[in-house]
Amino acid sequence: MATVSRRTFLKGLAAAGAAATVGTGAGAAAFQPGAKAFAEASVEWKPATCPACHNPICGTQVKVVDGVAVEIKGDPNSPTNQGRLCPRGLSVLGGLYHPYRVKKPLKRTNPEKGLDVDPGWVEISWDEAMEITTEKLRECYENDPRALFTMTGFGNEDSFKRLIFESAFGTPNGHTTSGPLCADHFGPMVTKGTKVDRPDTERINYLVIMGRSIGDEWGLAHRNTKEYVDGVARGMKVVCVNPRKTNSAQTGEWVPIVPGTDVALCWALVNVMLHERGEIDEHFLKVRTNAPYLVQDISEDLKGTKVCFQDYERDAASGKPLVWDEAAGQAVPFDTAQGDTYALFGEYEVNGVKAKTCLQLVKDYTAEMTPEWAEGITTVPADVTRRIANELVDQALIGSTIVLDGEEFPYRPAGVLAPGRGSNSNPLNVELFKAIEVVNELLGCIDVPGGILGLEHGDMHVMDTDADGLLLPPASDNFKNQAVGQESLSFPPQSYKLECFYPHELHVMQLVWRAVLDPESYYLDYTPQVYMQLGGGNPIRSNSNPETVVQALKTIPFVFTISLWMDEMTQFADVVLPEHHPLERYALWNATWISNKSASDYVKRLRVIEARKPVVEPVFDTRQQEDLLIQYAAALGILPKMTGIANKGFQGRLMPGKPAGIGEEYQLSPKEPYTYADVCEAKLNTQFDGAGWDAVKDCAVQGYTLPDVKSSYIWHWHPENAYRIPVYFSYNGRSARMIRELCEQNNVAFPHADLDEVLRQYSAAPLFFEFEGMHPTEEFPLKVVQFKTHFQVNDSTGLSYNQWLRDTEENFDPHLRKLLIAPSAAASLGLDEGDEVVVESMYGGTTRGVVHLSEMVHPQMLGISGKWGAKGAGLIEFAHEGPHFNSLLNDDERDIGFMMGNLNNSVAVKVYKA
């Protein structure tokens, strides 16, 4: 493939005033942006939305001159970003006219596949491309629909929020590359029924941020960054527990910690609060949690770890959990009274046995988890941990109230913000969330003013309760299982998600590839026959151990991709279908939650819908992904089913009083041809009373607000005692019991793992154990960490290939693609600034990079920013620069988080000169 110089590339992107040709690469085609002088040109500013992050809610305006997009700016009319736009959003044009886009349908002529193998592409017509791919889909559909595998990317909401083709086809194997990292939704789901936590920045005074940052990552132009800064200016104290000194840490106190050890510090906070301070929100615990429920303290020893899977003691007549009512002097069902008279601590005789309150179990289990104990694991000084615990209690103002819009609420202006995808991606990730949520429950700061809030509140996200009175996330939420697990398990597994062995999983994506290579060992009786890549998914870059993915792809008889870029996945495709760039395609997205970083009153009340029309005609011979899915469904005879799914639930509920899916008067008919533009218009008609695209003609982001501030808190919709949340995580124990029973009844071993090793991660009570690679060793003295940089939050829109961003990176931070090592660690390893080195993980994976010395990382940490080191042969050259983090990770069951199915995102490594 010919190369493109930076000067030639930038000339091609100028796109104004003079003709320019950008046509290098597979399926090259000349692009003539037009030669009219601006004075004579047709100039129009068109409303659009930014596609460049996982929460793409920023409204934009695109300047189009003679049909050529030449400039992007933030839309001042957008309620979400109010005219602001980050460097990613400003660089989107660098992808639209990129010379390395897929420009025409391509067919492989070389049967050999590999990252460095020339596929021998030949251009084919769309008719031929659709004929080939449709026939392969038809064969699969007729033989075994399960054998179709699809995968969508992470961060490309344009393509991720789409028509559900897989359900109509009948395959359970619709996967996403984000699965192994989505364990971070467990804590918020189990205590708030929503996907993400955020602090109440309008009122919180003391915020502990665990393993994440606010303002470093993808929401730069959203209001949350401004709100966070406003909070700091107001006097909010921030304590940032992180192996790296993030932007958030620079606005407050930085507490460096060994990567992957956060859970020890959090249980030590609980220890101080229960065993030393003793000041907790007793009322909240009695009426809002299962702290008073009675459980036998029967523990098992699994792999040297004390675990408890016990169910509650139950009332013989009603089957309800029992509590000890101190006023009555006896055990009663949990819903006998409001709860103020229930015992929080103690052991009582019920049903002929001795049982403890759930909170007593927590207190007992954390008795030895002192700050001194945690210091030996985390390196955080014991006096620092003890001080943070006491400051949290002091600042929570336990017992205080606040009146909002005439309603009285508890007021708890302190709390711990749940971690991001780095700190929670290890075998103790669920335990970390449990510990954090218990801290916040002891403070009483969950979803009340000043505390730690959930998302998607109001009449659109009404919670339910289970038979035991515990919060039950909405049945429609696809993350519900993370909180409560499956109600029952059946063997053998029907999908490569291995659902019967991972009842809380979203997608155990790293194991899918191992199962493809060895299905029998996972008790699967079929193999993938057709693999369809959608929405920018790229498991070679986004999964652990890319070599396993490479080998698995080679075994699948037919692979095709709907692609924007000639990336790694196209190297294994038999056919490549070129996809529209976001500025060329229709998009509609439900953004009922507009920020997962912070929440002012404005943000808590705001809901938005965004819908984008193409701002330019297609530059190359590309098509809209969803239109291809409609065409496939029609050819296969499954369009009625896919249409029915869309009519019933397309994009879910967006506005109060409006139905999920499409209103009856606007419903799609499978008997008449329709396009994705028609689907979006039908949804807009449903939401805006027939206004259709006119609803977004002036601004592509349309907001509406809840009627008042009080309606933005769960407490308003579900006041105290309406539901309870766990300090003892009974659903975990239930899942452990079911997994054990499934293996015993079917006389099978848990795939590639010792059952005791699996089950100990499901303890309902607190636990702690040391896993492989938790601590650096003499041979592998550093823990590697990848952290998000705002330039590289995902790659679905080609951030790694964008020359505009590349130039900005070099000017903003020339060390961005280097390996960050503390000077003391570098000296002990004989390394210096600028050394070229090899990084080798404890699992044998390697990558290369250049050393940059930094005092802003923990001495036992090796830092890699962003998603560097692309391996595809068809990409622009600079995309290959930088270390490839995922090559260092393990992809088997040795250090998996069994409950969530997540991988270990921070392994021990050694570094030596290249």
Side-chain angles (χ1 to χ4, degrees), residues 250-415:
Q250 295 174 57
T251 62
E253 177 183 359
W254 180 35
V255 179
I257 190 169
V258 176
T261 63
D262 311 64
V263 61
L265 182 143
C266 290
W267 281 131
L269 294 177
V270 173
N271 173 278
V272 173
M273 295 169 73
L274 288 178
H275 292 272
E276 296 183 15
R277 183 67 181 263
E279 186 178 346
I280 57 177
D281 192 334
E282 293 189 6
H283 180 73
F284 182 94
L285 290 161
K286 288 179 177 181
V287 305
R288 198 62 157 180
T289 76
N290 68 354
Y293 291 18
L294 296 171
V295 180
Q296 285 192 70
D297 187 4
I298 300 177
S299 61
E300 298 184 42
D301 187 293
L302 298 181
K303 297 294 183 179
T305 304
K306 183 181 178 183
V307 298
C308 185
F309 304 135
Q310 289 299 108
D311 191 13
Y312 310 116
E313 285 302 308
R314 297 183 177 274
D315 177 61
S318 66
K320 295 178 180 180
L322 290 170
V323 298
W324 188 263
D325 190 324
E326 293 182 308
Q330 63 180 2
V332 299
F334 77 93
D335 57 356
T336 301
Q338 181 83 358
D340 281 318
T341 59
Y342 295 167
L344 283 178
F345 298 101
E347 185 175 42
Y348 306 91
E349 186 163 332
V350 296
N351 295 335
V353 299
K354 294 199 174 203
K356 296 178 178 180
T357 67
C358 287
L359 191 56
Q360 184 66 52
L361 278 182
V362 173
K363 185 175 182 179
D364 292 347
Y365 273 59
T366 58
E368 305 302 321
M369 297 177 177
T370 65
E372 286 73 20
W373 164 81
E375 180 176 355
I377 298 165
T378 65
T379 72
V380 177
D383 62 335
V384 172
T385 301
R386 187 169 279 109
R387 172 177 56 81
I388 292 172
N390 281 291
E391 288 176 349
L392 277 166
V393 175
D394 291 338
Q395 294 295 323
L397 304 180
I398 294 171
S400 63
T401 62
I402 189 173
V403 176
L404 300 176
D405 299 321
E407 181 175 340
E408 187 175 41
F409 290 83
Y411 177 52
R412 302 291 180 271

Side-chain angles (χ1 to χ4, degrees), residues 92-393:
V92 167
L93 290 182
L96 176 62
Y97 298 117
H98 201 296
Y100 282 75
R101 280 184 59 186
V102 185
K103 302 177 181 70
K104 283 183 173 292
L106 304 171
K107 181 173 69 173
R108 170 184 294 274
T109 61
N110 182 1
E112 183 183 356
K113 295 182 179 181
L115 283 171
D116 299 317
V117 177
D118 182 359
W121 296 120
V122 295
E123 293 180 5
I124 57 176
S125 68
W126 269 105
D127 286 344
E128 183 179 358
M130 294 303 291
E131 181 180 353
I132 294 171
T133 52
T134 301
E135 185 55 35
K136 293 296 183 180
L137 287 170
R138 189 187 310 280
E139 292 175 6
C140 184
Y141 179 67
E142 292 176 350
N143 292 328
D144 188 346
R146 298 177 301 169
L148 170 64
F149 278 47
T150 70
M151 182 175 291
T152 50
F154 179 69
N156 186 352
E157 301 299 331
D158 280 2
S159 294
F160 191 61
K161 305 289 186 180
R162 57 181 172 80
L163 297 173
I164 309 302
F165 177 79
E166 290 86 350
S167 294
F169 192 90
T171 178
N173 289 300
H175 304 291
T176 172
T177 56
S178 61
L181 298 179
C182 276
D184 63 342
H185 299 301
F186 170 77
M189 286 300 296
V190 80
T191 58
K192 304 169 196 69
T194 62
K195 299 179 183 66
V196 184
D197 281 339
R198 54 185 178 176
D200 190 355
T201 47
E202 193 95 354
R203 298 176 179 85
I204 196 167
N205 294 325
Y206 191 91
L207 175 62
V208 178
I209 303 176
M210 296 293 304
R212 71 189 301 180
S213 185
I214 298 176
D216 283 38
E217 304 171 359
W218 41 259
L220 290 179
H222 304 172
R223 281 184 57 101
N224 63 273
T225 302
K226 176 182 183 299
E227 291 160 0
Y228 176 80
V229 173
D230 288 346
V232 172
R234 175 178 57 80
M236 174 181 67
K237 179 175 179 181
V238 177
V239 178
C240 193
V241 181
N242 200 302
R244 180 176 71 95
K245 192 171 186 180
T246 63
N247 286 349
S248 298
Q250 295 174 57
T251 62
E253 177 183 359
W254 180 35
V255 179
I257 190 169
V258 176
T261 63
D262 311 64
V263 61
L265 182 143
C266 290
W267 281 131
L269 294 177
V270 173
N271 173 278
V272 173
M273 295 169 73
L274 288 178
H275 292 272
E276 296 183 15
R277 183 67 181 263
E279 186 178 346
I280 57 177
D281 192 334
E282 293 189 6
H283 180 73
F284 182 94
L285 290 161
K286 288 179 177 181
V287 305
R288 198 62 157 180
T289 76
N290 68 354
Y293 291 18
L294 296 171
V295 180
Q296 285 192 70
D297 187 4
I298 300 177
S299 61
E300 298 184 42
D301 187 293
L302 298 181
K303 297 294 183 179
T305 304
K306 183 181 178 183
V307 298
C308 185
F309 304 135
Q310 289 299 108
D311 191 13
Y312 310 116
E313 285 302 308
R314 297 183 177 274
D315 177 61
S318 66
K320 295 178 180 180
L322 290 170
V323 298
W324 188 263
D325 190 324
E326 293 182 308
Q330 63 180 2
V332 299
F334 77 93
D335 57 356
T336 301
Q338 181 83 358
D340 281 318
T341 59
Y342 295 167
L344 283 178
F345 298 101
E347 185 175 42
Y348 306 91
E349 186 163 332
V350 296
N351 295 335
V353 299
K354 294 199 174 203
K356 296 178 178 180
T357 67
C358 287
L359 191 56
Q360 184 66 52
L361 278 182
V362 173
K363 185 175 182 179
D364 292 347
Y365 273 59
T366 58
E368 305 302 321
M369 297 177 177
T370 65
E372 286 73 20
W373 164 81
E375 180 176 355
I377 298 165
T378 65
T379 72
V380 177
D383 62 335
V384 172
T385 301
R386 187 169 279 109
R387 172 177 56 81
I388 292 172
N390 281 291
E391 288 176 349
L392 277 166
V393 175

Side-chain angles (χ1 to χ4, degrees), residues 521-537:
S521 69
Y522 290 91
Y523 310 103
L524 293 157
D525 62 358
Y526 66 98
T527 58
Q529 298 300 304
V530 176
Y531 179 91
M532 176 169 63
Q533 188 71 52
L534 302 155

